[in-house]
């Protein structure tokens, strides 16, 4: 895995190893709302930037984007809930969706039609390496590619069972967002 993934695992181990506090670990997936979610908005902005959208890989990687209000509701359900102590929960969205389908859904919501051209991952990695070596702020990085091609369609059934966590589908949540400032 990536250095980022390793650091998250180490942080979870550090939290679990202390014994003085009752803890619950939460792992939210791709968070979105009108104001963002950094990774989500970077993806969205990249879709809007070009008339023809170069896409890292086939776009078949599955994600479960989660609406920010669902995260808040899930966190509130943990407070004082002894059933959650010592456990970890994936706070993912209510719908599994491919990155390509998500791209089309986002473009549809802002009334745009664009051609999406899949670029093989190995070519993207070569381009990213060249950009990293020659640019101070490359638009494509090897780390960014790792985040795009990493599946995050995690199952949230234990959060549903223990906390009543019931996130909305991304196709519903995006309709609640106002993206007019991005157009």
């Amino acid at each position: 895995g990536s250095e980022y993934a390793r650091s998250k695992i180490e942080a979870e181990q550090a939290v679990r190893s202390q014994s003085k506090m009752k803890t619950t670990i939460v792992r939210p997936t791709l968070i979105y709302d009108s104001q963002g979610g950094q990774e989500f908005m970077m993806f969205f902005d990249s879709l809007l930037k070009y008339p023809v959208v170069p896409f890292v890989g086939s776009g078949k990687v599955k994600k479960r984007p989660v609406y920010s209000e669902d995260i808040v509701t899930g966190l509130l359900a943990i407070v004082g809930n002894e059933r959650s102590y010592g456990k970890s929960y994936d706070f993912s969205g209510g719908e599994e969706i491919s990155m390509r389908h998500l791209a089309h859904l986002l473009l549809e919501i802002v009334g745009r039609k664009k051609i999406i051209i899949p670029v093989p991952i190995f070519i993207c990695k070569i381009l990213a390496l060249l950009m990293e070596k020659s640019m101070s702020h490359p638009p494509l990085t090897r780390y960014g590619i790792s985040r795009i091609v990493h599946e995050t369609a995690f199952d949230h059934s234990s959060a549903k069972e223990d906390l009543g966590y019931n996130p909305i589908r991304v196709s519903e949540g995006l309709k609640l967002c106002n993206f007019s400032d991005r157009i």
Side-chain angles (χ1 to χ4, degrees), residues 1 16 20 33 45 49 60-61 71 93 99 112 116 118-119 122 129 134 183:
R16 283 191 181 104
K20 293 181 173 115
D33 67 20
D45 289 343
K49 192 174 194 175
K60 292 180 182 177
V61 170
I71 298 289
M99 288 297 288
R112 301 267 181 97
I116 296 176
V119 180
F122 79 93
L129 179 62
S134 63
I183 303 172

Side-chain angles (χ1 to χ4, degrees), residues 1-16:
S2 71
E3 189 174 317
Y4 174 70
R6 281 189 297 279
S7 71
K8 285 172 57 173
I9 290 168
E10 289 171 10
E12 286 186 17
Q13 289 170 343
V15 167
R16 283 191 181 104

Side-chain angles (χ1 to χ4, degrees), residues 46 56 69 82 91 94 100 103 109 112 122 136 146 171 179:
S46 72
V56 174
E69 289 184 24
E82 293 183 13
F91 278 9
R100 189 175 184 100
I109 282 175
R112 301 267 181 97
F122 79 93
S136 58
S146 73
S171 53
F179 295 121

